[in-house]
Amino acid sequence: MKAREICDNVYLIGHVDWDRRLFDALIPLPHGTSYNAYFVRGSNKNALIDTVDPAKWATLAGQLDELPAPDYLIIHHVEQDHSGSTPMLLERFPELTIVCNAKAKAMLLDHLAIDDERFQVVADGETLSLGDKTLTFVFTPWVHWPETMSTWLPEDKILFSCDFFGSHLATSDLFADRHEVYDGAKRYYAEIMMPFGPQVLKNIDKVTQYPIKYIGPSHGPVYDDPQFIIDAYRDWAGGEPQNIVCLPFVSMHESTRLMVDHLTVALADRGVTVERFDLTTVDAGELASSLVHAGTIVLGTPTVLTGPHPLAANAAFLANALRPRTRFATVIGSYGWAGRTVESIQQLMDRLKVEFLEPVMVKGLPRTADFEALDRLADTIAEKHRDLAQRRFADSLVCRPVVG
Ligand SMILES: Cc1cc2nc3c(=O)[nH]c(=O)nc-3n(C[C@H](O)[C@H](O)[C@H](O)COP(=O)(O)O)c2cc1C
Ligand SMILES: [Fe+2]
Ligand SMILES: [Fe+2]
């Protein structure tokens, strides 16, 4: 795709990766992704903001054939999907200066073989004039890595936010359709930003001190309705858990599945929303998204070689790493003779600030007394969730009328 003008002399460039299906060797990409770079043409100087995944350098190189030579390369974030084409750019433009913060410089020296002479290190809030356009650097640590920063362009009220507000969505549209982008942006938040919820809220407050008409993230479409994604981020990072049970499970011979089936109905009968995931086929992004608002996690697993099934252990490990704001957790499942499944899951979830509810572990096939225990668990969850809000549908955000 050619350079696309967002506003006067500010262009979206980079690569739309329609076919990529896995990111960071971990994150499924059902809708592909993009690596966005931006080009700002000033009356005196030109700046390129971020680069592309090195595998897609040819796209960026072709786009730069049509643009004047950049004087500055602003590097917001050292992860290679944005900084990876820097060595090729430095070779192609011998006068190009890298502008980044001190942490990013140290990390770039670690990750890419770059000559120390090519850097101009900037401080938080510092500005760089391109003539009739000014770049203001705003440090936004932990969205995604500690060095991550954003750039605000006051003349056009654009925030270039890097991974912050991004979405893994390949689209031919320049600007985001809120209905199309919502799920992908939420998944992206859940997978990448959720572990840093408090820092996300601080960074929202920091960047919204500036008037913003557009947000240009480094993945997915540009927002020309920035309030929509800012409100969504406040909800995801700061909203209270809701009346939702996230129920990931695995079952080898159906005993645990019978328990999961029973609990699903028992919870639904008590007005609790159940988001249920078979771990043999789960999309980790959907599971992560569910954790954003789940009041309770119930993990269903048989006992395998004295502990949880490896797929359940992986789900517990992932939930622990993502640090959702979930309040309650427990384990249900079937075993044959003995094991330490519950203790292992509790250890794997040790960073979650949750109250562990009484687990329901059943020897072999579940019987009447076991289903009654599951009913009691459903009673307990419904009671614990009494003060939590009902699940709020994405549409309540997505369909909010545009103000102003
Ligand atoms: C590979 C394998 C390893 C197992 N290891 C244990 C174990 O260490 N301790 C135990 O109590 N049961 C063990 N079991 C028995 C299962 O936990 C038991 O059959 C349970 O009912 C399976 O639940 P499911 O039908 O939901 O798969 C094992 C079963 C399999 C297939
Ligand atoms: Fe990143
Ligand atoms: Fe990224």
Side-chain angles (χ1 to χ4, degrees):
M1 242 176 271
K2 287 190 171 175
R4 287 181 291 172
E5 198 167 43
I6 300 170
C7 56
D8 204 23
N9 287 322
V10 181
Y11 302 88
L12 168 67
I13 50 178
H15 185 85
V16 180
D17 204 341
W18 298 93
D19 299 326
R20 187 160 178 183
R21 285 291 169 266
L22 194 64
F23 194 79
D24 285 352
L26 178 68
I27 294 170
L29 300 178
H31 305 293
T33 190
S34 67
Y35 322 107
N36 300 343
Y38 295 90
F39 195 89
V40 182
R41 197 171 177 162
S43 53
N44 295 337
K45 302 276 187 187
N46 304 308
L48 172 62
I49 297 182
D50 290 323
T51 81
V52 293
D53 192 288
K56 304 300 176 188
W57 158 242
T59 306
L60 183 61
Q63 291 162 334
L64 291 170
D65 285 342
E66 315 275 317
L67 291 163
D71 301 282
Y72 300 109
L73 168 59
I74 317 301
I75 296 198
H76 284 145
H77 173 32
V78 176
E79 192 171 0
Q80 288 88 334
D81 52 331
H82 309 298
S83 75
S85 296
T86 301
M88 294 79 114
L89 282 158
L90 292 177
E91 198 178 317
R92 173 160 166 186
F93 301 106
E95 303 300 317
L96 185 67
T97 300
I98 297 177
V99 178
C100 65
N101 63 35
K103 271 192 190 146
K105 177 179 172 182
M107 291 170 78
L108 281 165
L109 294 173
D110 288 341
H111 285 83
L112 305 168
I114 295 177
D115 183 356
D116 199 47
E117 309 284 290
R118 306 288 297 262
F119 287 90
Q120 179 175 330
V121 170
V122 292
D124 193 11
E126 195 172 328
T127 59
L128 176 69
S129 175
L130 305 177
D132 60 348
K133 293 194 192 281
T134 315
L135 304 181
T136 303
F137 304 109
V138 186
F139 290 14
T140 44
W142 297 109
V143 291
H144 176 203
W145 283 1
E147 85 297 5
T148 307
M149 70 172 190
S150 302
T151 297
W152 180 61
L153 175 51
E155 289 82 2
D156 302 299
K157 300 188 175 60
I158 304 184
L159 181 76
F160 300 103
S161 61
C162 199
D163 283 343
F164 200 19
F165 305 119
S167 60
H168 283 312
L169 174 63
T171 170
S172 56
D173 293 339
L174 172 58
F175 294 118
D177 172 318
R178 53 167 72 184
H179 294 271
E180 191 188 22
V181 82
Y182 183 89
D183 282 347
K186 185 176 178 190
R187 282 170 69 108
Y188 189 83
Y189 169 82
E191 293 154 341
I192 304 287
M193 306 287 163
M194 187 155 63
F196 313 111
Q199 289 94 330
V200 168
L201 291 172
K202 273 192 209 155
N203 282 320
I204 294 173
D205 288 343
K206 191 168 181 181
V207 298
T208 53
Q209 287 173 13
Y210 301 94
I212 301 171
K213 200 169 160 201
Y214 303 96
I215 292 178
S218 58
H219 301 284
V222 174
Y223 298 93
D224 59 354
D225 168 20
Q227 198 58 44
F228 151 69
I229 192 67
I230 291 167
D231 286 350
Y233 256 67
R234 280 199 208 280
D235 178 42
W236 301 333
E240 291 299 308
Q242 296 171 12
N243 182 20
I244 299 171
V245 168
C246 173
L247 180 46
F249 76 98
V250 55
S251 181
M252 302 178 295
H253 298 294
E254 304 299 312
S255 291
T256 303
R257 186 186 297 274
L258 286 172
M259 298 174 71
V260 167
D261 286 346
H262 187 90
L263 185 65
T264 303
V265 173
L267 287 167
D269 284 348
R270 289 161 178 75
V272 180
T273 296
V274 180
E275 297 182 351
R276 174 181 153 145
F277 304 95
D278 182 338
L279 290 169
T280 59
T281 53
V282 74
D283 173 319
E286 274 184 47
L287 179 58
S289 254
S290 169
L291 293 173
V292 171
H293 281 140
T296 298
I297 304 170
V298 177
L299 190 55
T301 179
T303 294
V304 176
L305 302 173
T306 74
H309 189 288
L311 292 177
N314 183 53
F317 185 89
L318 190 67
N320 199 47
L322 293 175
R323 306 183 77 174
R325 294 151 55 83
T326 306
R327 300 255 179 87
F328 310 99
T330 194
V331 184
I332 64 171
S334 173
Y335 65 98
W337 48 95
R340 294 178 46 78
T341 298
V342 172
E343 295 89 325
S344 300
I345 294 286
Q346 282 180 328
Q347 276 168 12
L348 285 166
M349 289 186 167
D350 64 348
R351 289 170 70 197
L352 297 187
K353 295 196 181 90
V354 290
E355 179 188 339
F356 265 93
L357 306 177
E358 186 66 28
V360 181
M361 297 303 285
V362 169
K363 194 168 187 182
L365 198 64
R367 319 281 158 115
T368 306
D370 305 315
F371 292 128
E372 285 167 3
L374 290 168
D375 287 336
R376 285 196 297 279
L377 175 60
D379 284 337
T380 305
I381 292 173
E383 173 62 22
K384 297 272 183 194
H385 280 205
R386 211 182 34 191
D387 299 331
L388 303 187
Q390 277 310 114
R391 177 190 153 136
R392 223 194 32 238
F393 291 96
D395 274 0
S396 62
L397 266 174
V398 172
C399 296
R400 183 181 50 77
V402 184
V403 181

